[in-house]
Structure formats: structure tokens, C-alpha cells
Amino acid sequence: MPWNPEIYNKFKNIRYQPFYDLTEFIKPVNGMKAIDLGCGTGEQTAILADKFKDADFLGVDSSIEMLEQSKALETDNLHFRKTTTEETIASGEKWDLIFSNAALQWSNDHETLFTELIKLVNPKGQFAVQMPVQPENILNKILSDLVDEEPFKSYLKGYKRDSPVLSIDNYAQILFDGGLEELQILQKVYPIIANDHETLYNFISGSALIPYIERLEGEQKALFIQIYKERIAEYFPKLPAIYSFKRILLYGRKG
């Protein structure tokens, strides 16, 4: 899936606040072996490596486009590698900190995924994850409804990516069953104030919209974008508009 770092980073400030909120849960440990799953351009991983100078960080991502920008950020305690979360699990390598900010929503079957990731946390190690609550976010709901409609259902040949994101109760049980303690599990709204509808479209165009847009071409793509923008305008008739973007933050420490 081709990511565009420029579009994604248009909303850098909005995307960074939950990252900072998540990092506040992490406790510094000398010699901590840490991994950032879905590190993107590596900028946030670099902030982590600077904050926890006694740790060794590895940032991993499946996007060549994103990782291209990470090369200049490498230091003695920060390195990057192209790989997927699933490949990381399959390796069986263990960590003192598994961190992921706004990335695991792209991996399927969260009950299995999170269970397997927690197994890779060393004793006394930490697990910190943040994701958008896609099933409850309005722009995702509008998108989900649209791809179920004709002609787009036919244009997309029936393709639809249902969100794998579970409920807070589900994650609480998974973290607890995985032996994590000192649990911090919360859903928080990170409001986006938009002066126009294009801002709302641009926000989702850099993430959840990508797998649909890449499957359409020419007039089909243009029509899809047009109708989606019209639906956004219908849902947010008043400008400036507030978009209550919901995210879930998860933290625990192995006993």
C-alpha cells in the first residue's frame, strides 16, 4: 500500500499528541531493548530514542516510502528495518518495550495479534499501543457505508476492509490474560477543528482512504472522491466543524 508521507504529515501536530500521551506511560529502564511497530518516517521513534537514551530502539515499517525518510535519523541507539508486524511476531524475538502508535489498526485479527505480541514482551517489559477507534469515528463510518453502495461496490469488486479494532473491554481482557499489570486503558477524543470540508477529507485521505483509492482509476476514482466529499459536507453542515476523532491508548507491564 503506497503511503504518501507529505499528505500524512499535513496533520503532524494532530497525530503527535496521542503519541506524547502514550509515551507518558513508559518507564525508563537502563539497557531497554525496544521496538516501534509501524514507525512510518521514524520521526516519532527518534523522539523515543532521545527521551530514553539508555534504550536501544528498532523502528520497523512495511512502507519503503515512509522508511526512506528514516535513514537520516539513525544513531547509535536507533535503527530501522523494513518488515511487517506479522513478520516480527514470526521471528519470535523478544523485547523490553513493544511500542506502536497508530499502526496496528492495519493488521487483522487483533485478538490473535495482541495475544502473540504480548508473548514477545520480556518479564518486567512494557507494552504501549495507540490506535484510532475506526468503528466509532464518523469519517470511517461514512467511508464504510459508501463502499457498500453501488456503483462503488462493483468498482471495488466487493473489496471492503472492515476495521479489526476491538472494544476497550476486549483489549482489557487480552492484556490481562497476557499477564500485563499496571494497566492503563482509555479512549480519548482528539478533536479536529476544520474550517472547510477539504480539511476533513485530507485527514482521512492520508490513511483509511488509501486502500480504496488505489483500487480505482480515472472516472471511477473521481466519482468516488466526489461523492465521499459530498457525504462529508452533508454530515458536517456547519463550519468550522469539530470532528471528535476517537483513539484508544493501551499500556501494561509484564509481571
Side-chain angles (χ1 to χ4, degrees):
M1 184 169 62
W3 284 85
N4 186 325
E6 289 185 13
I7 293 176
Y8 189 81
N9 281 335
K10 279 184 179 180
F11 298 88
K12 180 182 288 188
N13 292 340
I14 293 170
R15 298 188 192 279
Y16 268 51
Q17 188 54 54
F19 161 79
Y20 285 117
D21 289 347
L22 185 64
T23 60
E24 287 302 309
F25 295 131
I26 301 170
K27 298 169 179 62
V29 178
N30 288 339
M32 183 167 61
K33 179 185 174 187
I35 187 169
D36 181 6
L37 300 171
C39 67
T41 60
E43 292 177 57
Q44 293 179 350
T45 325
I47 294 171
L48 284 171
D50 187 61
K51 180 180 176 69
F52 303 102
K53 296 182 187 299
D54 292 327
D56 288 315
F57 273 89
L58 174 67
V60 300
D61 203 281
S62 61
S63 169
I64 295 174
E65 294 86 359
M66 287 290 198
L67 285 174
E68 190 66 29
Q69 299 193 18
S70 71
K71 293 177 181 178
L73 300 173
E74 291 203 339
T75 62
D76 289 342
N77 74 325
L78 174 60
H79 299 88
F80 296 94
R81 181 189 305 163
K82 183 182 180 299
T83 190
T84 66
T85 298
E86 291 73 18
E87 289 167 344
T88 300
I89 292 173
S91 75
E93 189 172 358
K94 296 201 171 185
W95 306 88
D96 300 312
L97 169 65
I98 292 180
F99 180 92
S100 183
N101 184 63
L104 293 186
Q105 71 273 15
W106 293 106
S107 294
N108 296 323
D109 187 4
H110 276 203
E111 187 159 351
T112 300
L113 180 81
F114 275 69
T115 299
E116 294 303 310
L117 281 174
I118 292 169
K119 289 178 182 177
L120 301 182
V121 178
N122 283 324
K124 305 300 180 184
Q126 301 173 80
F127 182 80
V129 171
Q130 181 275 127
M131 301 171 293
V133 189
Q134 292 170 327
E136 296 184 23
N137 284 328
I138 296 303
L139 293 181
N140 293 89
K141 288 182 178 180
I142 297 173
L143 179 60
S144 179
D145 290 343
L146 187 61
V147 299
D148 278 335
E149 298 176 14
E150 293 295 355
F152 306 116
K153 190 171 184 177
S154 295
Y155 289 169
L156 293 163
K157 298 180 174 61
Y159 171 81
K160 183 180 183 182
R161 189 179 189 280
D162 290 319
S163 173
V165 176
L166 306 173
S167 70
I168 280 183
D169 289 344
N170 290 141
Y171 289 116
Q173 190 67 54
I174 294 169
L175 269 59
F176 179 76
D177 289 344
L180 297 185
E181 302 173 354
E182 303 175 29
L183 297 179
Q184 296 284 347
I185 302 171
L186 62 147
Q187 180 171 302
K188 183 175 178 180
V189 169
Y190 291 87
I192 297 169
I193 309 302
N195 291 318
D196 50 52
H197 297 119
E198 194 71 16
T199 297
L200 296 172
Y201 171 80
N202 287 338
F203 180 74
I204 197 167
S205 73
S207 55
L209 200 64
I210 294 174
Y212 298 103
I213 292 298
E214 71 175 359
R215 285 172 167 80
L216 300 172
E217 295 181 355
E219 293 181 0
Q220 293 182 357
K221 180 188 289 188
L223 180 61
F224 184 80
I225 292 172
Q226 174 194 328
I227 300 299
Y228 186 52
K229 287 183 176 180
E230 289 174 0
R231 297 287 173 86
I232 292 174
E234 288 171 11
Y235 197 91
F236 296 93
K238 181 182 175 183
L239 292 172
I242 181 169
Y243 176 36
S244 301
F245 192 71
K246 303 176 185 72
R247 295 180 182 271
I248 187 169
L249 289 82
L250 306 168
Y251 172 84
R253 192 169 190 175
K254 268 278 181 77

